[in-house]
Amino acid sequence: MDARLLVEHIPSLRRYARALTGNAWAADDLVQDTLERACGKWRLWVVGTDLRAWLFTVMHNLFASQVRRRPPPHALVPLDDVAPEQLQGGADPGLGLDLQRCLMQLPEEQRAVLLLVTLEDLSYAEVAKVLGIPIGTVMSRLSRARLRLQELMDGAAASSRPGLRRLK
């Protein structure tokens, strides 16, 4: 086992874990558990295959097991308690909070597909392999996730503009 192979994938594992859990501490724990499991099961990785996809598969399976065993309602930090300076990237901190809030409202299976395709830039085939689902299911979940996220973001944007209402 060459630890350098794992180290180069840690940033993308952390990014995906943070998006899955919505919590920095839970994400760090998930990455640690993933790396520990990967080291323990290293013999199962076939040299020459995509190590990144294998690591994401390990992480996804661990996360799914954790969710089934103990739902973490008390472990999540409310997004309203996150300081705007902790947000990275965008110029509008409110938009980042809205996006994070809306992502966390997506069903877990849709959120996982959306994050793997958009955040981690995996192909549909790689996502199908990571999640153990057919490519058609990946495309369907991705489409539904994008539509639902757009609906949620439109609703969040509308609610952040006082005095504006949609008339039917």
Side-chain angles (χ1 to χ4, degrees):
M1 182 182 111
D2 187 0
R4 289 177 289 170
L5 293 174
L6 291 176
V7 170
E8 69 184 58
H9 296 290
I10 291 175
S12 59
L13 288 171
R14 291 188 79 217
R15 193 171 45 241
Y16 182 53
R18 177 68 190 264
L20 273 179
T21 63
N23 179 309
W25 289 355
D28 287 343
D29 287 345
L30 181 58
V31 170
Q32 179 68 30
D33 292 344
T34 300
L35 294 173
E36 183 179 330
R37 176 74 54 92
C39 289
K41 304 286 185 180
W42 190 254
R43 67 188 182 289
L44 298 177
W45 177 63
V46 178
V47 176
T49 60
D50 188 0
L51 177 60
R52 182 175 183 222
W54 184 73
L55 290 170
F56 277 109
T57 302
V58 170
M59 177 176 282
H60 176 77
N61 291 339
L62 279 170
F63 179 73
S65 294
Q66 290 172 357
V67 168
R68 277 192 304 269
R69 271 185 300 188
R70 52 181 163 81
H74 63 282
L76 296 177
V77 174
L79 289 173
D80 296 330
D81 295 345
V82 177
E85 59 270 6
Q86 290 177 327
L87 296 173
Q88 298 177 359
D92 181 11
L95 183 62
L97 283 174
D98 286 344
L99 179 60
Q100 179 71 18
R101 186 177 292 114
C102 293
L103 275 173
M104 295 310 290
Q105 290 180 27
L106 291 175
E108 190 273 325
E109 64 274 357
Q110 290 179 12
R111 187 172 67 239
V113 169
L114 180 69
L115 293 172
L116 288 171
V117 170
T118 59
L119 187 65
E120 297 305 328
D121 202 28
L122 294 181
S123 70
Y124 293 172
E126 290 170 322
V127 173
K129 183 177 178 183
V130 166
L131 300 179
I133 57 177
I135 292 178
T137 304
V138 169
M139 294 187 299
S140 174
R141 287 181 183 176
L142 181 61
S143 176
R144 285 181 289 163
R146 286 176 173 160
L147 286 173
R148 181 67 181 137
L149 186 60
Q150 183 64 49
E151 291 170 359
L152 290 168
M153 289 297 293
D154 287 346
S159 67
S160 68
R161 288 177 278 181
L164 294 178
R165 293 182 308 173
R166 179 175 283 169
L167 298 175
K168 291 186 180 187

